Amino acid sequence: MATRIGIDLGTTNSLVGVLREGRAEILPNALGERQTPSAVSIDDDGTVLVGAAARARALTHPDRTFRNFKRDMGTDREFRHGSKTFRPEELSALVLRQLKRDAEAALGQEIAEAVVTVPAYFGELQRRATRDACEIAGLHVERLINEPTAAALAYGLHHRDRECRIAVLDLGGGTFDVSVLEIIEGVIEIQASAGDARLGGEDFVEALVNALAEQAKERFGFDPRVNLHGRAQLWEACETAKCRLSELLRVEVPVVRPGPHRPDESLVLPLDRDQARELWQPLLSRLHPPIRRALRDAGVEPEAIDEVVLVGGATRMPVVADLASTLFGRPPLRTISPDEAVAQGAAVQVALKAGDEQLDDMVATDVAPFSLGVSTIESHGRRRLDDVFSPILERGTVLPASRVERFVTASDGQGQIRVEVFQGEHSLCRDNTKLGEYTLQGIPAAAAGEEAIDVRFTYDLNGILEVDMTIVSTGETSTLVIERSPGRMSPDQVEQARQSLQGLKFHPREALPNTTALARAESLYTELRGPARELLGAAMRAFRLALEEQDPSIIAQRRAELSALVDRFKG
Ligand code: AMP
């Protein structure tokens, strides 16, 4: 018998939910884990690896490992490996195919159809691209639903007998999204969505890394950030400390002083919740503007919100839940694991449909699905960083919209400025999609920073972007008009991609636990030094030998030993 599933196809992780005996459940993957990293890597012999093994290879094989492609859905961006290129739809299809196979193995049934979630800010192009990805993966999409809607369904808020207003706050690893929903008799309307595409849990780690490195300099006389190894180790330690501070009031963070002639010296710095809160204050205050914007666009006051739902792993931080309580004057709902609410909600939607219950899920306003901006040069003292992406219209801005930003000349006597226009969410322009460029001439000679130009972006509902560039001192204006590139696959291309995916070699499912254990160990090996590295190297050799000898019980034992060592060093 074929069955249906709900899929949260996330930027960092993806999950599959099903409804069993009236309860939403998350299905485990081939490794027994509930989250599958949305990562794809091509192995040395051309086989495709998806999930944790692929993510672990991001460090050891960066040129053949792809992540974060959800951010480029609906664009023409291509990801290259040797002579082969992949569109974001194709990489998403590889993830979906793995999710489908794992779900079939977990349920012992074929998967017929799926409900797949998409961000509320996804426009038509990105929704179309998500459907195409499903088709390429051989998965029939019953319906796409909005992620905040799914989170509300997971909490059963659609069953309230009176109309209900909900704020969904989604703080993931790299992004923050806010949605205001109204539920009236089977209709869920997303009245507003806003966000910050460059704020997430990783920024909270970065704040700890910088503060603790300064402390290490002061107390122990060295900066762990001086080399890649020290930085990577401190990052891991701070990531762990951040998560542990969600449960504990105080933690100790290991800082390693690399020793060229003697073993690395392990030192610890204490960190408590109050200190962390202080360090995170600037980031916490950046959560306010998107919330205010979403409430304003929806035309409601915080008191009018009936429920606040927290989604995304970083909302586990007590400081985030406290902020939500204070802002809305009520404790947020957080009984469902914040990483799982969206997938659970997708499973609820599958069941609603099967039970013939109607639920309309609509987005009330069109918003910009990508950030639009220009390339700039940033000065840091004497150092200059170019190719920096400076957004003018942020993703989630209600359309039509018009915004202006002022820029100044970067060098003395600069007579012209090349304005390059990009769309995307990456901090460097080279990772975003270039839409066009224009060279603005006739800037009067002056010292660097003395002449200014205003760049105005006007974006309408048809996807036409008008860029007006004005030299402030002369008032002279030039205009560049950019029509959105289609970024869409034709039915023939989808069919071709489906066939080419079928021709790819996939890593066998049953070998994934071994491959993943090795990939995780390899990745950690590059970060370790001294005796720890030797110990890990020995465990990896023992595991490889066991794999060659093919005795399943010895393989399992060596794998458990290796994984225990990896966990200990990541600790
Ligand atoms: P997501 O994109 O929803 O998977 O969220 C990932 C982010 O959640 C990462 O920055 C994690 O560090 C963070 N995260 C996961 N668990 C916790 C926790 N217990 N406490 C604080 N942050 C967490």
Side-chain angles (χ1 to χ4, degrees):
M1 196 186 83
T3 192
R4 291 131 118 201
I5 52 173
I7 297 181
D8 168 6
L9 184 62
T11 309
T12 3
N13 290 303
S14 296
L15 294 89
V16 176
V18 280
L19 211 69
R20 279 204 277 218
E21 291 163 16
R23 282 171 50 102
E25 277 179 30
I26 303 297
L27 292 180
N29 62 18
L31 305 174
E33 292 170 358
R34 298 156 77 85
Q35 302 195 14
T36 300
S38 309
V40 174
S41 187
I42 315 294
D43 209 344
D44 302 334
D45 61 358
T47 49
V48 176
L49 268 168
V50 174
R55 186 178 60 191
R57 285 165 56 90
L59 203 64
T60 51
H61 301 81
D63 54 331
R64 44 174 66 200
T65 303
F66 310 106
R67 297 191 301 167
N68 292 328
F69 33 84
K70 179 174 168 182
R71 292 185 166 196
D72 298 297
M73 287 292 261
T75 72
D76 283 327
R77 178 152 185 219
E78 291 195 324
F79 296 80
R80 184 169 289 278
H81 163 57
S83 60
K84 186 149 179 49
T85 54
F86 294 96
R87 292 179 63 105
E89 292 94 326
E90 292 175 283
L91 293 171
S92 298
L94 292 172
V95 174
L96 285 162
R97 184 183 173 283
Q98 181 81 29
L99 297 174
K100 177 174 182 272
R101 294 212 157 171
D102 284 349
E104 285 172 344
L107 294 169
Q109 279 175 323
E110 219 178 288
I111 304 298
E113 281 182 340
V115 166
V116 179
T117 60
V118 288
Y121 58 79
F122 259 25
E124 250 331 285
L125 273 176
Q126 291 135 307
R127 287 171 198 256
R128 184 66 249 167
T130 307
R131 283 185 179 275
D132 288 344
C134 293
E135 204 167 309
I136 296 169
L139 189 67
H140 181 71
V141 197
E142 182 180 307
R143 181 168 181 176
L144 298 181
I145 64 165
N146 293 298
E147 288 165 8
T149 301
L153 295 183
Y155 277 102
L157 298 177
H158 55 297
H159 284 141
R160 294 270 166 101
D161 50 9
R162 55 181 187 83
E163 68 177 70
C164 178
R165 278 232 168 81
I166 301 156
V168 180
L169 310 185
D170 181 349
L171 186 64
T175 55
F176 177 49
D177 292 304
V178 186
S179 315
V180 176
L181 278 55
E182 188 178 58
I183 307 187
I184 310 174
E185 290 173 6
V187 178
I188 299 195
E189 188 182 69
I190 300 179
Q191 296 188 311
S193 57
D196 185 333
R198 279 161 290 272
L199 175 64
E202 284 160 18
D203 299 288
F204 288 73
V205 179
E206 186 71 23
L208 296 183
V209 167
N210 291 332
L212 292 181
E214 289 303 320
Q215 272 190 40
K217 256 187 354 199
E218 229 167 76
R219 290 186 44 189
F220 309 131
F222 75 99
D223 186 338
R225 292 168 301 183
V226 287
N227 59 25
L228 261 181
H229 164 64
R231 191 175 161 75
Q233 201 145 42
L234 186 59
W235 175 279
E236 284 291 331
C238 287
E239 166 71 30
T240 308
K242 177 190 75 171
C243 293
R244 292 181 65 208
L245 275 178
S246 297
E247 313 295 329
L248 306 171
L249 292 178
R250 193 185 145 84
V251 293
E252 290 195 325
V253 188
V255 181
V256 176
R257 185 208 305 259
H261 307 300
R262 52 198 156 76
D264 289 357
E265 189 182 357
S266 205
L267 306 157
V268 289
L269 287 169
L271 179 71
D272 65 32
R273 265 196 199 172
D274 288 342
Q275 288 165 322
R277 181 188 290 265
E278 184 87 20
L279 294 171
W280 291 334
Q281 212 50 56
L283 297 170
L284 291 168
S285 51
R286 282 175 59 195
L287 294 171
H288 289 259
I291 298 176
R292 271 203 304 270
R293 214 164 49 237
L295 289 171
R296 191 196 56 216
D297 291 345
V300 292
E301 296 295 324
E303 306 78 63
I305 296 291
D306 299 296
E307 296 291 356
V308 180
V309 175
L310 297 185
V311 182
T315 59
R316 287 214 176 86
M317 286 187 284
V319 283
V320 174
D322 290 352
L323 180 139
S325 300
T326 313
L327 259 174
F328 292 97
R330 60 173 52 250
L333 298 177
R334 51 196 301 219
T335 47
I336 297 178
S337 165
D339 332 282
E340 298 183 354
V342 170
Q344 285 197 18
V348 171
Q349 169 61 37
V350 171
L352 286 180
K353 189 80 191 302
D356 263 349
E357 252 185 271
Q358 267 299 327
L359 180 105
D360 281 329
D361 165 32
M362 309 186 307
V363 180
T365 44
D366 276 304
V367 297
F370 298 105
S371 300
L372 295 163
V374 293
S375 160
T376 55
I377 299 169
E378 255 177 31
S379 303
H380 295 272
R382 302 224 318 269
R383 279 183 35 227
R384 275 159 56 125
L385 187 64
D386 57 12
D387 201 39
V388 174
F389 179 55
S390 298
I392 293 181
L393 271 173
E394 291 279 355
R395 187 186 81 193
T397 307
V398 177
L399 300 180
S402 185
R403 297 267 151 71
V404 66
E405 286 279 337
R406 180 161 291 187
F407 299 93
V408 295
T409 47
S411 51
D412 293 342
Q414 187 176 348
Q416 59 180 43
I417 285 185
R418 194 153 56 118
V419 178
E420 290 179 283
V421 179
F422 289 87
Q423 83 175 10
E425 313 310 324
H426 305 274
S427 60
L428 292 179
C429 288
R430 63 167 172 268
D431 298 324
N432 292 323
T433 308
K434 185 163 171 178
L435 299 180
E437 67 172 59
Y438 188 89
T439 302
L440 187 64
Q441 297 182 328
I443 299 173
E450 290 290 309
E451 278 294 323
I453 64 162
D454 280 344
V455 180
R456 174 177 290 280
F457 276 22
T458 307
Y459 194 48
D460 70 11
L461 286 168
N462 303 316
I464 296 174
L465 173 66
E466 198 177 291
V467 181
D468 295 309
M469 297 148 283
T470 307
I471 302 170
V472 177
S473 63
T474 65
E476 200 180 310
T477 297
S478 308
T479 299
L480 169 71
V481 176
I482 298 167
E483 298 218 18
R484 184 162 62 186
S485 70
R488 181 176 168 170
M489 293 177 89
S490 67
D492 281 352
Q493 281 175 310
V494 171
E495 181 50 31
Q496 258 174 25
R498 205 176 60 80
Q499 283 176 13
S500 109
L501 183 133
Q502 279 171 351
L504 286 175
K505 266 193 299 171
F506 284 87
H507 202 77
R509 228 180 82 83
E510 53 291 351
L512 264 183
N514 294 339
T515 315
T516 311
L518 261 183
R520 282 177 169 151
E522 290 271 16
S523 167
L524 181 64
Y525 187 83
T526 61
E527 288 173 25
L528 294 179
R529 282 171 162 232
R533 186 176 223 197
E534 277 166 32
L535 217 58
L536 187 66
M540 284 160 66
R541 282 193 297 280
F543 183 47
R544 284 202 168 100
L545 261 173
L547 286 175
E548 273 173 28
E549 283 165 13
Q550 298 184 1
D551 178 332
S553 71
I554 298 184
I555 291 177
Q557 191 186 339
R558 297 279 176 269
R559 189 176 71 217
E561 286 163 6
L562 181 64
S563 302
L565 208 58
V566 168
D567 289 344
R568 197 176 104 206
F569 291 137
K570 278 213 176 265

